[in-house]
Amino acid sequence: MAIKKSELYSTLWSGCDELRGGMDASQYKDYVLVLLFIKYVSDKYAGVPYAPITIPEGASFKDMVALKGKPDIGDQINKKIVAPLANANKLSDMPDFNDPSKLGSGQEIVERLTNLIAIFENKALDFSKNRAEGDDILGDAYEYLMRHFATESGKSKGQFYTPAEVSRIMAQIIGIRADDTSNATTVYDPTCGSGSLLLKVGDEARAKVTLYGQEKDAATSGLARMNMILHDNPTALIKQGNTLANPLFTGDDGQLKTFDYVVANPPFSDKRWSTGIDPLNDPHRRFQDFGTPPDKQGDYAYLLHIVRSLKSTGKGACILPHGVLFRGNAEADIRKNLIRKGYIKGIIGLPANLFYGTGIPACIIVIDKENAHTRKGIFMIDASKGYVKDGNKNRLRDMDIHRIVDIFNKRLEIAKYSRMVGVEEIDKNEFNLNIPRYIDSQQAEDIQDIEGHLKGGIPVADVNALQSYWDVCPRLRKALFKVNRLGYLDLAVSKQVIKSAIYEHPEFVSFIDSMNALFADWRKQSIKTLKSLQTDCYPKTVIAELAEDLLAHYTGKPLIEQYDVYQHLMDYWTATMQDDGYLIAADGWKAETYRIIEVKKNKEGKTVKETVKETDKGWTCDLVPKQLIVNRYFAARQAAIREQEAALESVTAQMVELEEEHGGEEGAFSELDKVNKANVTARLKEITGNAKPRLGDKKEAELGLGAPEEVVLCAWLRLANEEAEFKKALKEAEAALDALAYAKYPTLTEAEIKVLVVEDKWLSAIAAAIHGEMDRISQTLTQRVKELAERYETPLPMLTDKVASLSAKVDAHLQKMGFVVHG
């Protein structure tokens, strides 16, 4: 049975992190990712003639496994595995597997490397059949590990990784998908890090494109080269070196090679950018037409390198700190020259704290040389508020990415979010591109109306602000509000019935019905699509098409935000549906059950045979959980169990109530150290001398305070016996239901499995989430109307009268108590 993607990734991470010990994640990642690489290329290319990657004899992962436990394992890995692979495939700067300062010495390094190799022996990590076409589980595992390593690497060491969400935006806004791409199409990243951004752009192309990258850090450039191979781009050209001081992609004339597309996430505000460069005499003429960046501020140096590296019709995108938009002096001159050339097509402001290694907000500068001379403005987006907290970082959601890409590519002007800013307006602002100058993204302040507080009445302006609701339900407004005076309204219903007045209004009922019908229509369309999934399908393609269809289905509908609906689907995909999709792609529509074995380890957390304990925790099925079987085939038995559970809860509640009522110092249970069956029975024997005390009747279970001790204890004992009988019966009923459900799985047809998974599991969960979105919209209106009503229901004169009345009552009480109240 195929392992779930989420389990595979988390197992890899937890196993690797467990073995890391005191080593910094930024260093440990090199060992883990190299092992993942060796495992992959060994599975895919070992023994394959004319393969793009050469696996020398004796240098495969299988040969590495044979070294486990050997006292010189680190040295042997270096000599027999890593060195031959690196030499055969021109891989440089591979990590030293025999470094005692990082891996320990003696038995420590032997155990650490042996256990690390064992992690990658997982049978689920068999890539011999993997073709990395669209749904590369290995590439995703690599991405997962890279994100975690970046998170763990600390403030200054996570810059090797550009968050996948930002990479996706850049890949989709530079227009590569729209072109007739081919191997002749070139994509370049001058500061490629581990290559994740470069690969995302390549993924967006309609066909294979040629990828080029340069990275200053030697170890990271090695990871980038391996990343290209892991993502089925073995011909990508990655070079190691300082891009600004020594650009390695040049033509025969020594000038910079130019590319169709360039993307980059360079180091922010690089203070040493000019090391090894004479900017005034740059042989590649990167600065002569625009100006020289400041000595200690290298952001524009990288941007100008990109501009120079683009063909005359080339397009690019670069992540830079917000300061490049408004800083003055030399940078202001460069910015002005770029704008006048028409090279800046757009600017996207991103949320703060997205990137590893820095918390400052950044932006994406979009460059487009094609038709630059005709460009009359710059399209700006302020996306700084669209994100979700993820640990100590912020993260863009799927909905945030989609909204940015849609609005940028369609040039949609949305209030407080996006607009096309003309060059004339920018000129008037002295070529300052700070986004807040052009887009006011601040939310409107909820203003307190002074006259409303003085005289009462809800301001009409506040009610008008809910116009989107009144557009859908025009008569609902009249049902909720009545005229107080010019410019002010009163609530037409009591506060207690605001919710029912809204929810039961015919127009609102009709709106909810139309929304339910809208989802039902999409559900009907999607059932057929989802049930047609077969083995070897591409789950990423499936969810992309499904999500786009849902987004289009809800676009333009009143009140509900289509991107919120889209996010519900994507959240469910990440949590559940993705794993199911990969199980179907691997095994088909099979509902296979398996035992759940809990493994307990020793105090050190190591799985040593002598100290491991295994416990059978029952069975489960990933694709078709037991509850789906029960709901569809054994609902009556489940209902009976629910009734038994309710009866048991009632008896338990009576016992608790009895204990509370008679648990004081004079109560019937005061002589007991602990209230349990053994102690109660012993106490009754002590009181009555009877070895078999009588049981109380039902009336005695309701005894009040002051009842005889014997009677109370007998009543409690009867309830305890009832509780035990209910528990026994409940356990037997649950076991019987469990056996019925377990026996049902082998009898399921493929058609039945599809109904259970597609209708009962997937679409039911998605329906609940989307209907919940409608509830949220409804509650927002209810809460706002109630808030306005409460805000202005007690005007100042009424408050003054109330204060005076209360003061008079206090004075009267004080006088009765003998206090003289002075005016």
Side-chain angles (χ1 to χ4, degrees):
M1 180 178 177
I3 190 171
K4 294 191 290 186
K5 286 185 76 172
S6 58
E7 288 182 1
L8 173 61
Y9 301 161
S10 60
T11 299
L12 277 175
W13 172 252
S14 60
C16 296
D17 197 46
E18 180 181 306
L19 295 174
R20 174 154 58 95
M23 195 191 316
D24 187 271
S26 63
Q27 296 175 329
Y28 193 59
K29 78 176 190 302
D30 300 340
Y31 295 98
V32 172
L33 297 175
V34 166
L35 268 178
L36 189 62
F37 169 76
I38 293 172
K39 178 69 170 78
Y40 174 74
V41 296
S42 297
D43 284 353
K44 189 170 182 181
Y45 298 122
V48 177
Y50 309 111
I53 301 301
T54 302
I55 312 298
E57 188 71 27
S60 69
F61 181 77
K62 182 180 178 181
D63 299 302
M64 184 183 283
V65 171
L67 300 176
K68 286 166 58 180
K70 293 192 174 183
D72 59 346
I73 181 173
D75 187 52
Q76 292 293 312
I77 290 175
N78 282 341
K79 292 179 179 177
K80 293 185 176 181
I81 311 295
V82 175
L85 265 175
N87 293 334
N89 298 286
K90 297 180 181 179
L91 297 171
S92 58
D93 299 295
M94 302 291 269
D96 181 2
F97 281 82
N98 199 36
D99 187 343
S101 66
K102 295 178 181 177
L103 298 169
S105 58
Q107 190 59 28
E108 183 183 4
I109 190 173
V110 174
E111 288 187 2
R112 178 169 281 172
L113 290 176
T114 295
N115 291 334
L116 189 56
I117 293 169
I119 292 172
F120 292 90
E121 288 185 274
N122 187 331
K123 292 182 179 179
L125 284 172
D126 179 4
F127 306 113
S128 57
K129 296 179 181 179
N130 186 284
R131 292 294 175 266
E133 294 173 356
D135 279 312
D136 181 17
I137 194 169
L138 189 279
D140 289 347
Y142 187 90
E143 185 83 23
Y144 179 92
L145 291 173
M146 289 292 279
R147 178 187 287 273
H148 277 71
F149 279 126
T151 302
E152 298 289 321
S153 289
K155 185 173 179 61
S156 63
K157 299 175 182 176
Q159 295 178 355
F160 57 81
Y161 176 73
T162 301
E165 297 83 11
V166 181
S167 297
R168 284 168 57 192
I169 291 173
M170 296 174 73
Q172 293 176 47
I173 61 174
I174 59 174
I176 192 168
R177 181 184 288 272
D179 292 343
D180 182 19
T181 54
S182 65
N183 281 330
T185 302
T186 55
V187 182
Y188 168 55
D189 185 342
T191 58
C192 69
S194 59
S196 57
L197 172 56
L198 191 57
L199 283 166
K200 283 291 185 294
V201 178
D203 287 343
E204 283 298 314
R206 294 187 182 277
K208 285 287 183 183
V209 296
T210 305
L211 304 179
Y212 299 82
Q214 184 166 338
E215 168 57 35
K216 182 178 181 179
D217 183 78
T220 304
S221 68
L223 291 179
R225 170 66 177 146
M226 287 185 284
N227 201 2
M228 297 299 127
I229 296 169
L230 292 175
H231 283 81
D232 206 32
N233 279 285
T235 59
L237 192 56
I238 305 296
K239 295 186 178 184
Q240 188 267 316
N242 185 327
T243 294
L244 294 181
N246 183 28
L248 298 175
F249 293 103
T250 57
D252 295 336
D253 57 357
Q255 292 302 306
L256 293 180
K257 176 179 173 63
T258 56
F259 303 88
D260 296 300
Y261 300 93
V262 180
V263 290
N265 178 18
F268 286 1
S269 304
D270 186 355
K271 290 179 171 51
R272 294 180 291 179
W273 73 270
S274 60
T275 302
I277 306 174
D278 180 1
L280 297 177
N281 296 293
D282 177 33
H284 305 292
R285 296 179 297 162
R286 289 170 289 190
F287 314 119
Q288 69 176 23
D289 294 331
F290 301 96
T292 303
D295 291 339
K296 304 296 183 182
Q297 211 83 44
D299 299 310
Y300 274 106
Y302 290 99
L303 187 62
L304 293 177
H305 177 85
I306 290 172
V307 170
R308 189 65 179 171
S309 299
L310 284 169
K311 293 179 180 179
S312 61
T313 57
K315 298 167 177 60
C318 184
I319 302 168
L320 292 172
H322 264 287
V324 301
L325 301 177
F326 55 79
R327 290 195 297 247
N329 301 319
E331 291 184 306
D333 292 334
I334 296 172
R335 188 167 58 244
K336 178 170 65 175
N337 290 328
L338 284 169
I339 294 169
R340 284 179 169 170
K341 277 275 191 180
Y343 284 169
I344 300 179
K345 180 180 182 180
I347 300 170
I348 300 170
L350 298 173
N353 203 28
L354 282 184
F355 297 91
Y356 302 96
T358 180
I360 65 173
C363 61
I364 300 173
I365 306 291
V366 184
I367 302 293
D368 189 353
K369 282 190 173 181
E370 188 172 18
N371 300 320
H373 64 284
T374 64
R375 190 159 289 124
K376 302 299 183 183
I378 297 174
F379 190 73
M380 295 186 183
I381 292 179
D382 184 348
S384 60
K385 294 178 175 59
Y387 63 90
V388 66
K389 293 293 294 182
D390 186 7
N392 63 349
K393 304 299 291 182
N394 294 331
R395 179 173 55 82
L396 295 170
R397 297 161 293 184
D398 292 284
M399 62 181 285
D400 302 318
I401 297 167
H402 212 303
R403 178 185 281 120
I404 291 170
V405 172
D406 283 352
I407 289 174
F408 187 87
N409 288 341
K410 296 174 184 177
R411 302 294 186 273
L412 301 177
E413 296 198 75
I414 308 295
K416 296 185 176 296
Y417 189 80
S418 63
R419 63 176 290 231
M420 176 64 76
V421 182
V423 173
E424 289 184 5
E425 183 178 352
I426 294 170
D427 190 354
K428 290 178 181 177
N429 280 285
E430 298 179 332
F431 296 93
N432 186 315
L433 294 178
N434 197 21
I435 296 175
R437 286 200 173 211
Y438 306 99
I439 300 174
D440 179 11
S441 62
Q442 297 299 313
Q443 294 299 314
E445 186 178 354
D446 187 11
I447 298 173
Q448 300 280 342
D449 188 276
I450 300 300
E451 184 178 339
H453 284 298
L454 291 174
K455 298 181 179 180
I458 300 169
V460 169
D462 284 330
V463 177
N464 289 344
L466 299 169
Q467 189 60 41
S468 58
Y469 287 94
W470 316 138
D471 289 340
V472 175
C473 308
R475 287 193 291 272
L476 175 59
R477 173 172 174 155
K478 294 180 180 179
L480 291 173
F481 300 101
K482 60 184 179 182
V483 175
N484 175 298
R485 63 186 186 281
L486 184 63
Y488 294 86
L489 304 170
D490 285 331
L491 198 61
V493 298
S494 69
K495 286 192 302 180
Q496 291 71 28
V497 299
I498 291 174
K499 182 175 180 179
S500 59
I502 293 172
Y503 281 58
E504 295 171 9
H505 192 276
E507 289 180 334
F508 195 81
V509 171
S510 176
F511 168 68
I512 295 298
D513 288 344
S514 69
M515 288 294 102
N516 291 338
L518 184 70
F519 178 79
D521 182 50
W522 179 81
R523 183 181 185 278
K524 184 178 180 181
Q525 297 174 25
S526 302
I527 286 176
K528 184 177 180 181
T529 300
L530 293 171
K531 287 184 178 180
S532 66
L533 299 182
Q534 300 295 331
T535 54
D536 297 327
C537 67
Y538 295 139
K540 286 183 181 176
T541 302
V542 171
I543 187 58
E545 294 176 352
L546 193 70
E548 289 303 318
D549 186 52
L550 180 66
L551 189 67
H553 201 70
Y554 277 85
T555 297
K557 299 300 182 287
L559 295 182
I560 195 163
E561 169 60 54
Q562 71 263 33
Y563 292 105
D564 289 331
V565 175
Y566 170 84
Q567 186 63 41
H568 284 303
L569 173 59
M570 298 309 296
D571 285 343
Y572 183 66
W573 167 259
T574 301
T576 301
M577 206 172 164
Q578 174 180 232
D579 282 333
D580 291 346
Y582 278 91
L583 290 176
I584 293 167
D587 300 329
W589 295 90
K590 293 181 180 179
E592 297 179 341
T593 58
Y594 61 91
R595 309 303 300 182
I596 305 171
I597 305 299
E598 183 181 84
V599 179
K600 294 184 179 179
K601 302 179 181 181
N602 65 8
K603 292 180 180 179
E604 287 73 35
K606 296 180 179 178
T607 312
V608 183
K609 289 184 179 179
E610 290 76 13
T611 58
V612 168
K613 292 182 180 179
E614 294 186 351
T615 306
D616 190 334
K617 305 292 286 185
W619 60 273
T620 190
C621 177
D622 289 326
L623 189 60
V624 184
K626 171 186 169 182
Q627 195 58 49
L628 295 180
I629 296 289
V630 170
N631 292 346
R632 182 163 282 273
Y633 297 105
F634 306 107
R637 283 181 174 267
Q638 181 71 73
I641 288 176
R642 294 282 182 265
E643 291 179 3
Q644 288 178 292
E645 289 173 340
L648 172 61
E649 289 174 3
S650 175
V651 170
T652 302
Q654 291 178 58
M655 292 173 66
V656 171
E657 184 179 355
L658 206 59
E659 292 169 24
E660 290 177 348
E661 289 184 357
H662 301 276
E665 292 182 1
E666 303 296 328
F669 298 103
S670 61
E671 298 295 323
L672 303 180
D673 293 333
K674 187 177 182 180
V675 181
N676 56 34
K677 193 170 183 179
N679 287 346
V680 170
T681 302
R683 178 61 180 163
L684 280 171
K685 181 180 178 182
E686 183 182 329
I687 295 171
T688 63
N690 188 351
K692 291 185 178 180
R694 72 179 182 84
L695 300 179
D697 58 29
K698 291 186 177 180
K699 290 183 179 180
E700 290 176 341
E702 301 171 358
L703 291 171
L705 295 175
E709 180 182 1
E710 177 188 353
V711 175
V712 174
L713 295 180
C714 285
W716 186 93
L717 196 59
R718 180 191 66 79
L719 291 170
N721 286 341
E722 279 188 30
E723 183 186 50
E725 290 172 4
F726 274 125
K727 285 181 177 180
K728 180 182 177 182
L730 188 59
K731 186 176 180 180
E732 291 173 351
E734 288 175 338
L737 179 58
D738 187 76
L740 285 170
Y742 187 73
K744 183 65 179 177
Y745 281 89
T747 72
L748 292 172
T749 65
E750 184 174 293
E752 288 174 324
I753 293 173
K754 288 180 177 181
V755 169
L756 286 163
V757 175
V758 175
E759 297 183 37
D760 295 0
K761 185 181 183 181
W762 293 348
L763 292 174
S764 291
I766 295 167
I770 293 176
H771 290 151
E773 186 65 26
M774 291 307 306
D775 289 340
R776 186 188 64 79
I777 292 169
S778 307
Q779 290 166 8
T780 299
L781 175 61
T782 302
Q783 291 168 0
R784 182 57 175 168
V785 171
K786 185 177 180 181
E787 180 184 27
L788 291 172
E790 291 177 343
R791 179 179 294 176
Y792 299 107
E793 69 180 341
T794 311
L796 184 60
M798 192 180 296
L799 285 173
T800 303
D801 292 343
K802 190 173 183 180
V803 170
S805 174
L806 291 172
S807 295
K809 288 181 180 180
V810 171
D811 290 346
H813 283 300
L814 290 174
Q815 288 176 1
K816 287 181 181 180
M817 296 169 65
F819 290 94
V820 178
V821 180
H822 298 286

